[in-house]
Amino acid sequence: TSDRGGGLNSPATKFHRIHSDLEQTSTTCTGIMSDVEEEEEEPVCPKPQLEEACMSKCQQYTAAYEACAARISNDETGEAHCTGQYFDLWHCIDHCAADQLFSKLK
């Protein structure tokens, strides 16, 4: 089927999936930190904020991903994908956030 007009493979939908992944990361951190004693102040997972801040440093990968998503938006075969660009973007974000994240861990 065609995904014209904002379907599942539209650039906007795919870009929102990136932000959804960021929100899921926050949930993961909360689950990891649930063993902390209740008396202590609830720790805040810095990873989602670091990843969001790193988006601006990874603009070339974001642009490449969005360009690919726009290019394949009219693919009717279902075979076209932007997996490489998606992983390149997340590699950049992870690399950027890792240095800052590990310096904040106790």
Side-chain angles (χ1 to χ4, degrees):
T1 67
S2 174
D3 288 322
R4 294 181 197 126
L8 291 176
N9 290 324
S10 73
T13 302
K14 289 183 178 187
F15 191 73
H16 288 291
R17 287 182 194 156
I18 293 171
H19 292 287
S20 174
D21 290 346
L22 289 174
E23 290 170 3
Q24 289 175 3
T25 300
S26 177
T27 303
T28 302
C29 289
T30 302
I32 292 170
M33 296 180 169
S34 65
D35 295 335
V36 177
E37 295 179 20
E38 290 184 31
E39 301 157 1
E40 296 180 16
E41 185 176 316
E42 186 68 29
V44 176
C45 181
K47 189 173 185 227
Q49 292 82 17
L50 292 173
E51 289 176 334
E52 189 70 34
C54 286
M55 289 291 286
S56 65
K57 294 180 182 177
C58 299
Q59 286 182 351
Q60 82 180 61
Y61 296 103
T62 301
Y65 176 74
E66 289 175 342
C68 176
R71 199 170 45 249
I72 69 164
S73 65
N74 293 326
D75 175 47
E76 295 183 13
T77 66
E79 294 180 14
H81 59 83
C82 297
T83 305
Q85 291 83 354
Y86 181 81
F87 283 125
D88 289 345
L89 173 59
W90 275 103
H91 176 78
C92 178
I93 293 169
D94 287 343
H95 184 73
C96 170
D99 292 336
Q100 299 169 50
L101 179 64
F102 287 111
S103 69
K104 294 183 181 199
L105 295 178
K106 293 182 180 181

